[in-house]
Amino acid sequence: MGGWDIYCAICGGPLKPVSDDISRKQRTARFRRLHRNGGVEGDDVESQPEEDNEAQQNEDGDDGDDGSIMSEDEESLATSEEEVSYDPDVISPADVEWVESVHVLGCNPEAASTSKAFISGPCGPGGFDGTVEIAPGDDRFCYFVDDSEYPIFPFHWCCFELLSKALTGKTDPDLIDKDILYKVWLGLGSNDKCRLPTIDYGDPGPDGSQYWLAEAGKEFFVVDPMKTPHGLTDLIASTIEGSAFNDPPPHPDLAPRVQHDPFLKLPADLIDSIAFLLPTKDLFNLLNASWVAFSTLSNNTGFWMRCIRGHMPWFFEAHDFLDKSDKLNGKSRKMIYRWLDQVTYPRRHISGPFMSIANRRRVWHVCEQLAEKYLPMLRQKGPNEGLDAAEKLIRSQSISSKISCIYTQTSTNWGPNWEIVSSFWVKSWDTIFLEESTIETFWDSSGSLVGLGVSSAGSCRLLGIDDTNDGVVRQKDPVPKYDWITGIILHVSSSDIKGITVSSKCHGDVHIRETRHGHPQRAFLARGNDRYIVGVVGQVGPIEGRHIIQKFGVLHASRRSPDEQDIPPQNPLESCLWKEPYHQDLGTPIWEHPGLRLISNRVIDIETSNASQEALIWAKNEFDLRLLARITASITVGHGKMFTVKWETRDTYVVHGLKAESRTEYGNIYRSVGEPEAQYDVDLPMESRQHFEIDGQGGERITAISFATEMTQAIKLRTNKDREVLFGDSGAFNWRIIRPEEGETLVGLVIAFQGDGELDESTQTYKRKKILSVAGLGMRLETNEFSPVELDN
């Protein structure tokens, strides 16, 4: 199949240069004859008078570039080429430059604002592989992709201005609610990678094929729909001045001859209202069929002016002219309406000054379809007018944490019901310090969290669903009085939230449900000493009969003015899902350690991944570094086929566990990740233990970590003594390296494993863990923290 082109979500037109599609030759006489006769040639064409044929031949001129007459075969070939190009007499390269002005609407769940949708700056042209380059080196797939939760939607900037006009009445894109529009477009998408497949782009309209194909007669598709042709107003004025637009003389009264007309029973204002709702063709059919409707409406200036505005909301230039012109006395508004409708009707082979208006009319129809989805959602969301000044201020100053994945996302469970929503808990700072508040959690029959809120003064502000749903139970826990929430720890098992730890500034933690069951944990903290969690943000929706909190984050704010606030950046350690807090190794939970830094070479974004991260921490200070004596890897060697440059049978390696060993006068201390001590059946592939001795007491330090996780696996450790060990496959490729910053020391590494080492009952073999991602842990240490004498003692 090869690649594919992508098209504007609004007009359906191309997002790449099309100037090369404009023919460099004038149209041949045969082409003009063919399309003048509606695409029919030969015996089926009615004979014209001989003198007319001669005149037409003179008009068409010679066929050949050099004035020669083409043969029949040459004519046929030239015409076939003309059918897949644009007429240079209709458009020029300057007319089609606008199609290269590409922007996208996307979603960034890591945005600090409560709004997660964004509009990009100018992008590169749409790629041949269904992508758009929104920044140098950052290509994003459009519309729908199997491995992405957040596709982007590309558009021409002028088309977006037209959409803004349709949705808000103004051509100011800032007035559009981007989050709602993103949800609308997401809901209209499918597995179509080219455009929105459920949108009607007009007839004739772009066909949305795999590749954009220039078609003769469809030049108006690539004419800027927001362009006002030069001299358009003068053209309208001079045309209307003609006698054809004069008010007609009074019609004879045919009422006595009307035998049956249902409109006789209706008052004039009702006839007016009914007729206004009809499309143009049906409206004139009504006037032809009903004398009552004809006599009531034909000379009704107000009715036809309303029709021009209501039926042609896209014809801004005509509105302005008719509002300001002093040359309309004695002119039939009905004839003006009919003429404007005819000259702007989208059709093949339209040319001249009304091409851009015809394209605008076609695109406006798309905007109306989007408005049918967008406006009800906007009304449902509601404005902030009902909020008092204190709550508006808190909301405007709130910052969102990075939204982290809780539930595993797949292309089959993604849908338009998955939206990012916010729930603000705090109405005013009095809510925090003076009012009684309660944390309300809602749990389904499996014991998983499906709703989280805070109630104050009798009302609960909730993310998710409550106990009015079948099988959902409510639990209430008080927020400590004169204190407020500064942290939320989620305890997650198999993508479900099983427990919550709520931290406050002064009164410690509140433990809700399964917080001591060994579940992996993810922390969400209010950054800064004077900040509090004022709400939550997340992505919620139903999957297979269950309501799921798929993504989660917190909103935090401060009582201080923005100018006085010093907001530290979010620590990436907060965003990870940790197998355990590691407070025994560090003296504090890993996400709260003030000096620890995550060093990631992002093959996978471990901060937003829902894979559990395991930390192998071999030191928290210089003293611990001197105790480090050995790193041991557990490696499984198998045998199978693998494709590198060709298919080959070779050994495959899986590193499924690492262990750090420190030696003290009281005995050895072991820390491990994965399954370094796992014992497997003798029938399984060979398992090896590989040791790397480290002279910590002599000042040897690990200075770099390299890893390869594609197909086969390996990890390298390098020290400041220019020593190196390789755990795993020496033939591994696509290596990535992790180094600390200058002045930092590597004190550990972080690994996420796939698989959980359980027994496969069908084969009676154990499934081994496999490395999914690798990162490092760095810290700035005082090198003279402990002297050799203290260590020896």
Side-chain angles (χ1 to χ4, degrees), residues 733-744:
F733 50 91
N734 289 343
W735 287 89
R736 295 177 180 267
I737 189 167
I738 296 169
R739 290 191 179 95
E741 293 180 349
E742 186 175 352
E744 271 188 337

Side-chain angles (χ1 to χ4, degrees), residues 30 71-81:
R30 181 177 186 271
S71 69
E72 184 175 342
D73 290 342
E74 289 174 329
E75 255 195 342
S76 179
L77 177 60
T79 303
S80 64
E81 293 174 349

